[in-house]
């Protein structure tokens, strides 16, 4: 019985992702060069984030490097911690190890991405599933957010191009 329920859940999840994210969201990726956990990174101009099931908060801070970290329930296995890699000037962040379904039962897992207030990003691309995303006090030339069920909050964001798509959540954009 439980295997059948898991299978049905996975099929529904995959179909939802394919429809809502135009087939672009996947938690299957080449994890060869990915790191796990908290980091401070420099020389980053682009962010690509795929996240599921828990909140995402992207905001400015007074530091000189991009700082990524997450809050976690006690005892979370490394496979379910954030995974990241840097390709050139692009920071890629995933919610868990490749081929795993993100755990939607976490109580405290929240992704934080702190951007130096002096930095203007070229691109911020978010692909979200059942995630509340808060983006505040950042400068970025191009922002694209694609969401399947989850609220998106943009507050005091400076951007030349901002595209936000959701099929089951609210979009709240304020300046100031």
């Amino acid at each position: 019985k439980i295997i059948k329920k898991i299978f049905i859940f996975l099929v529904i999840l995959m179909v939802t992702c394919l429809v809502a994210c135009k087939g672009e969201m996947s938690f299957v990726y080449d994890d060869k060069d990915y790191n796990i956990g908290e980091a401070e990174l420099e020389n980053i101009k682009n962010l690509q984030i795929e996240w599921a099931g828990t909140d995402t908060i992207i905001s400015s801070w007074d530091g000189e490097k991009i700082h990524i970290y997450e809050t976690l329930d006690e005892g979370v296995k490394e496979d379910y911690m954030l995974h990241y890699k840097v390709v050139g000037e692009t920071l890629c962040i995933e919610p868990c190890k490749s081929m795993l379904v993100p755990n939607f039962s976490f109580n405290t897992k929240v992704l934080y991405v702190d951007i130096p207030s002096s930095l203007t990003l070229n691109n911020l691309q978010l692909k979200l599933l059942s995630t509340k995303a808060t983006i505040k006090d950042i400068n970025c030339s191009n922002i694209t957010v694609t969401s399947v069920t989850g609220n998106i909050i943009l507050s005091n964001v400076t951007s030349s191009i901002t595209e936000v798509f959701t099929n089951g959540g609210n979009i709240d954009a304020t300046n100031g």
Side-chain angles (χ1 to χ4, degrees):
K1 277 184 167 179
I2 189 117
I3 292 175
K4 184 178 180 181
K5 287 181 181 181
I6 291 171
F7 178 76
I8 291 170
F9 170 76
L10 291 175
V11 168
I12 291 170
L13 179 66
M14 289 183 336
V15 169
T16 302
C17 286
L18 288 172
V19 170
C21 297
K22 303 171 191 136
E24 296 174 5
M25 180 177 258
S26 168
F27 298 111
V28 178
Y29 58 93
D30 180 5
D31 59 6
K32 178 180 148 200
D33 296 322
Y34 275 77
N35 301 291
I36 299 168
E38 183 173 356
E40 286 196 17
L41 306 156
E42 54 191 349
N43 301 319
I44 302 297
K45 293 300 241 172
N46 307 295
L47 288 176
Q48 286 183 320
I49 301 172
E50 289 193 11
W51 203 256
T54 63
D55 291 354
T56 302
I57 300 172
I58 301 169
S59 60
S60 68
W61 77 311
D62 292 331
E64 295 180 16
K65 299 177 182 179
I66 290 180
H67 182 210
I68 60 171
Y69 61 100
E70 62 187 339
T71 57
L72 293 167
D73 291 336
E74 233 178 277
V76 171
K77 293 181 182 176
E78 196 173 82
D79 287 351
Y80 289 97
M81 293 178 179
L82 79 84
H83 283 57
Y84 73 92
K85 76 173 179 177
V86 176
V87 179
E89 295 180 326
T90 301
L91 171 59
C92 304
I93 301 174
E94 298 282 346
C96 58
K97 184 177 178 176
S98 179
M99 311 256 325
L100 292 178
V101 175
N103 190 334
F104 290 91
S105 65
F106 289 124
N107 293 318
T108 62
K109 182 171 173 145
V110 176
L111 171 65
Y112 293 90
V113 181
D114 297 333
I115 311 291
S117 56
S118 61
L119 177 65
T120 297
L121 292 171
N122 290 336
N123 297 293
L124 170 60
Q125 181 181 42
L126 295 170
K127 295 178 184 175
L128 308 169
L129 175 63
S130 296
T131 299
K132 175 185 172 189
T134 302
I135 305 167
K136 60 184 179 179
D137 303 321
I138 67 163
N139 300 310
C140 183
S141 297
N142 301 299
I143 298 174
T144 304
V145 181
T146 304
S147 174
V148 178
T149 66
N151 295 331
I152 301 164
I153 300 167
L154 299 157
S155 175
N156 199 31
V157 172
T158 303
S159 175
S160 300
I161 299 171
T162 303
E163 297 176 331
V164 181
F165 308 96
T166 185
N167 77 339
N170 297 314
I171 300 169
D172 181 17
T174 58
N175 194 11

